[in-house]
């Protein structure tokens, strides 16, 4: 198995180089950071840093020769369009298959199944190379710890991303012995059967705990690198998924450190700069590394002139938007009228509007230069940690005051009319979940959140938040395709991705398929 992953990585590097040749001559003038001679990467810390930088770059690099498979940004978009609060507006949208839950995660040969499997194993493979080698390399011990710590964090994060898709939901009240994913822990490991969900989470926790220790005292060069706070944030995410509320609260609080929440002006600036004081971790794309239509911002921004944005701007489900008070800065992220000229749309070369305007379209994500699809992709923000801490306290029982306080610290910076919540129990938890939904909209959390909290998919919704009779996602836009899946019980088998058939074949059946029905 692992040798094949190494081969995939080399094929990917060559394919990427060819793609760059087609896109921009400037790429030929710089040695790609995601391709390092093996001997150099394995023997010196300088080489290991280059390989680690290559992992950072993989997070925004196009995959599979497709412009929609844009590294971690693709996973983020898949997770949100498969949720219940992002709406698409044409059947020609690149993401319409996952949006309709049609020919996607339950098709063993689909692109979404293949991409999410091999993308994360590509990161794991490179992390394994570093874990196996950096300790024997020549160079400063401090560099070795920083490199190995980030490699462990990447491996933990990648397995966490995967097991939530290909495994069943973690249930703290059960033994979690259903099949998760194969635990590949060394760079030369062969075909390996899938481990149980429980075993995968044990490995995730062991790796992230190692990362937290190794990254203690490390000062990173920039926020594309993972430091101790990011590792603690990953640990908080994992603990939430495992219903380990005490650990989730503790780790989220520790991760917050000195990060400052955005003010209203910063909040409306486009979510495209990882130097923002609130960002904890982000993928940074340099100005000379544009990939044009193969970019997160070529689909999620409001002003890059791609055909997908021009014809199908991203929008929020109207019933969700109507629950946001107009005193909240987040209320300004979407246009309920479809006619507000303050919302930028793609332009033609003569300055005329190329993009259509639709009700509830977003302006959360913007490119700084509409001639390029470049923007930093948010992977972790301090706001998420406040929400994780609030949710964990609310779930503990008997800690509603702490939950409300954590929530208030965040929401008071978003909504000038917000007051400390006096809700308790499920009502407080529902409020926290709603704040999480609108705060992290478009950042890749919704499918994961619904699955980990055992909530159904309900695009008819949000009846448990308030007494409101919502409408179908297409109600305010006749061009919006009616979803094949409008609602889905939380225990439906469709929440579990199938394993790619190519993996079953390549391992001669060592890796087994998930149940088909």
């Amino acid at each position: 198995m692992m040798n094949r992953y190494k081969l995939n990585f080399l094929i990917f590097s060559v394919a990427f180089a060819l793609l760059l040749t087609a896109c921009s001559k400037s790429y030929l003038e710089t040695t790609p950071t995601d391709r390092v001679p093996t001997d150099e990467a394995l023997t010196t810390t300088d080489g290991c840093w280059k390989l680690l930088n290559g992992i950072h770059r993989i997070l925004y690099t196009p995959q599979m020769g497709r412009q929609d498979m844009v590294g971690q940004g693709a996973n983020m978009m898949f997770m949100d369009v498969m949720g219940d609060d992002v709406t698409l507006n044409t059947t020609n949208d690149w993401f319409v298959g996952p949006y309709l839950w049609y020919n996607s995660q339950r098709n063993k040969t689909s692109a979404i199944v293949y991409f999410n499997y091999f993308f994360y194993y590509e990161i794991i493979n490179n992390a394994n190379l570093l874990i196996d080698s950096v300790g024997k390399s020549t160079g400063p011990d401090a560099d070795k710890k920083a490199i190995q710590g980030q490699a462990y964090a990447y491996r933990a994060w990648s397995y966490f991303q995967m097991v939530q898709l290909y495994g069943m939901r973690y249930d703290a009240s059960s033994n979690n012995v259903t099949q998760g994913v194969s635990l590949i822990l060394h760079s030369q490991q062969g075909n390996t059967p899938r481990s149980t969900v429980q075993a995968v989470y044990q490995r995730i926790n062991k790796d992230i705990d190692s990362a937290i220790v190794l990254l203690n005292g490390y000062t990173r060069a920039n926020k594309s690198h993972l430091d101790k706070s990011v590792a603690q944030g990953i640990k908080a995410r994992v603990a939430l998924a495992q219903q380990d509320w005490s650990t989730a609260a503790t780790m989220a609080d520790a991760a917050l450190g000195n990060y400052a929440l955005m003010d209203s002006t910063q909040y409306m600036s486009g979510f495209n700069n990882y130097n923002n004081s609130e960002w904890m971790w982000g993928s940074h794309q340099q100005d000379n590394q544009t990939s044009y239509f193969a970019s997160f911002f070529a689909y999620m921004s409001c002003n890059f002139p791609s055909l997908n944005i021009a014809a199908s701007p991203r929008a929020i489900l109207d019933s969700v938007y109507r629950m946001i008070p107009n005193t909240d800065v987040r209320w300004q992220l979407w246009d309920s009228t479809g006619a507000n000229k303050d919302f930028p749309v793609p332009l033609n070369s003569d300055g005329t509007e190329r993009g259509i305007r639709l009700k509830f379209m977003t302006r959360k994500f913007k490119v700084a230069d509409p001639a390029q699809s470049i923007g930093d992709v948010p992977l972790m923000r301090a706001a998420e940690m406040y929400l994780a801490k609030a949710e964990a306290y609310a779930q503990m029982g008997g800690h509603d005051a702490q939950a409300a306080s954590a929530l208030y610290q965040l929401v008071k910076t978003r909504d000038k009319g917000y007051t400390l919540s006096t809700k308790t129990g499920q009502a407080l938890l529902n409020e926290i979940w709603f704040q999480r939904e609108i705060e992290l909209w478009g950042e890749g959390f919704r499918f994961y959140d619904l699955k980990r909290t055992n909530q159904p998919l309900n695009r008819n919704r949000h009846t448990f938040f308030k007494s409101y009779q919502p409408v179908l996602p297409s109600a305010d836009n006749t061009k919006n395709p009616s979803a094949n899946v409008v609602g889905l019980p939380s225990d439906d088998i469709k929440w579990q991705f199938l394993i790619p058939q190519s993996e079953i074949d390549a391992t001669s059946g060592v890796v087994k398929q998930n149940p088909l029905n």
Side-chain angles (χ1 to χ4, degrees), residues 202-279:
Q202 288 173 344
R203 170 50 58 178
I204 290 168
N205 280 294
K206 185 173 182 178
D207 280 356
I208 203 61
D209 288 344
S210 295
I212 291 170
V213 171
L214 288 164
L215 294 174
N216 187 42
Y218 164 63
T219 301
R220 57 186 169 175
N222 56 63
K223 291 183 181 180
S224 67
H225 291 248
L226 293 75
D227 67 1
K228 182 179 178 179
S229 70
V230 175
Q232 290 168 325
I234 294 170
K235 178 78 172 182
R237 290 179 179 177
V238 174
L240 279 183
Q242 292 188 279
Q243 301 105 59
D244 181 357
W245 311 124
S246 178
T247 299
T250 299
M251 284 293 107
D253 186 65
L256 279 170
N258 296 317
Y259 292 103
L261 293 170
M262 288 182 271
D263 60 27
S264 296
T265 300
Q266 292 172 312
Y267 206 87
M268 297 300 297
S269 64
F271 281 79
N272 56 22
N273 188 343
Y274 76 161
N275 288 316
N276 185 299
S277 61
E278 184 176 311
W279 286 33

Side-chain angles (χ1 to χ4, degrees), residues 40 45 47 129 223 245 289 399 504:
E40 179 185 1
T45 53
L129 287 170
K223 291 183 181 180
W245 311 124
Q289 295 178 337
H399 292 78
I504 309 296

Side-chain angles (χ1 to χ4, degrees), residues 84 319-320 323 423 426-437 446 455 461-468:
D84 54 2
S319 60
V320 177
M323 292 185 289
K423 296 175 182 176
Q426 188 63 47
L428 176 59
L429 188 58
N430 287 344
E431 181 180 355
I432 293 167
W433 283 342
F434 173 66
Q435 291 293 340
R436 182 180 176 92
E437 181 177 10
R446 192 59 184 161
Q455 295 183 62
R461 56 171 203 146
H462 268 161
T463 55
F464 59 91
F465 286 133
K466 61 181 272 187
S467 178
Y468 173 74

Side-chain angles (χ1 to χ4, degrees), residues 6 16 27 76 81 83 99 144-145 180 210 216 271 289 305 353 401 414 417-418 421 466 483 490 508:
K6 291 180 71 176
F16 182 46
Y27 272 102
M76 293 162 64
V81 301
Y99 176 64
K144 294 179 183 181
K145 289 176 62 178
S210 295
N216 187 42
F271 281 79
Q289 295 178 337
E353 291 188 1
R414 310 302 194 228
Y418 186 76
S421 179
K466 61 181 272 187
S490 60
S508 301

Side-chain angles (χ1 to χ4, degrees), residues 173-482:
S173 66
S174 74
N175 53 15
N176 298 289
V177 294
T178 57
Q179 295 297 292
V181 293
S182 301
L183 286 174
I184 308 300
L185 304 178
H186 299 286
S187 55
Q188 297 298 324
Q189 190 168 323
N191 295 340
T192 305
R194 295 167 67 187
S195 295
T196 65
V197 168
Q198 183 68 39
V200 174
Y201 272 93
Q202 288 173 344
R203 170 50 58 178
I204 290 168
N205 280 294
K206 185 173 182 178
D207 280 356
I208 203 61
D209 288 344
S210 295
I212 291 170
V213 171
L214 288 164
L215 294 174
N216 187 42
Y218 164 63
T219 301
R220 57 186 169 175
N222 56 63
K223 291 183 181 180
S224 67
H225 291 248
L226 293 75
D227 67 1
K228 182 179 178 179
S229 70
V230 175
Q232 290 168 325
I234 294 170
K235 178 78 172 182
R237 290 179 179 177
V238 174
L240 279 183
Q242 292 188 279
Q243 301 105 59
D244 181 357
W245 311 124
S246 178
T247 299
T250 299
M251 284 293 107
D253 186 65
L256 279 170
N258 296 317
Y259 292 103
L261 293 170
M262 288 182 271
D263 60 27
S264 296
T265 300
Q266 292 172 312
Y267 206 87
M268 297 300 297
S269 64
F271 281 79
N272 56 22
N273 188 343
Y274 76 161
N275 288 316
N276 185 299
S277 61
E278 184 176 311
W279 286 33
M280 299 171 62
W281 179 29
S283 286
H284 176 63
Q285 192 170 2
Q286 298 177 12
D287 289 344
N288 67 343
Q289 295 178 337
T290 184
S291 49
Y292 297 100
F293 300 105
S295 162
F296 175 80
F297 285 84
Y299 299 92
M300 291 300 294
S301 75
C302 59
N303 60 333
F304 178 71
S306 67
L307 179 60
N308 206 88
I309 293 173
S312 183
R314 294 296 179 259
I316 191 171
L317 189 65
D318 64 338
S319 60
V320 177
Y321 179 78
R322 289 184 174 123
M323 292 185 289
I324 305 173
N326 60 13
T327 53
D328 193 316
V329 65
R330 294 168 297 190
W331 183 82
Q332 302 176 41
L333 292 178
W334 298 279
D335 176 15
S336 63
T337 69
N340 188 340
K341 294 296 184 177
D342 289 336
F343 278 67
V345 295
L347 302 177
N348 293 310
S349 58
D350 62 0
T352 58
E353 291 188 1
R354 180 187 186 190
I356 62 173
R357 294 183 177 276
L358 298 170
K359 291 183 178 181
F360 304 103
M361 62 186 289
T362 187
R363 59 177 172 181
K364 178 172 181 176
F365 300 100
K366 290 179 282 192
V367 291
D369 180 2
Q372 297 182 313
S373 62
I374 288 176
D376 299 340
V377 179
L379 302 178
M380 185 180 291
R381 294 192 288 119
E384 179 199 345
M385 296 300 108
Y386 282 104
L387 292 161
K389 186 164 67 166
E391 181 179 344
Y393 278 129
Q395 292 276 22
M396 281 184 202
H399 292 78
D400 288 345
Q402 293 96 319
S405 175
L407 185 64
Y408 178 71
Q409 292 177 63
L410 169 66
V411 183
K412 70 178 181 179
T413 69
R414 310 302 194 228
D415 181 1
K416 60 185 179 183
Y418 186 76
T419 57
L420 182 68
S421 179
T422 58
K423 296 175 182 176
T424 60
Q426 188 63 47
L428 176 59
L429 188 58
N430 287 344
E431 181 180 355
I432 293 167
W433 283 342
F434 173 66
Q435 291 293 340
R436 182 180 176 92
E437 181 177 10
I438 60 174
E439 177 66 34
L440 301 178
W441 185 93
E443 297 181 49
F445 288 92
R446 192 59 184 161
F447 178 93
Y448 285 129
D449 280 349
L450 290 172
K451 185 171 179 177
R452 73 170 177 82
T453 57
N454 203 29
Q455 295 183 62
L457 181 76
N458 182 6
R459 289 171 172 172
N460 276 325
R461 56 171 203 146
H462 268 161
T463 55
F464 59 91
F465 286 133
K466 61 181 272 187
S467 178
Y468 173 74
Q469 295 300 318
V471 291
L472 291 175
S474 58
D476 285 295
N477 177 8
T478 57
K479 294 183 179 181
N480 188 338
S482 296

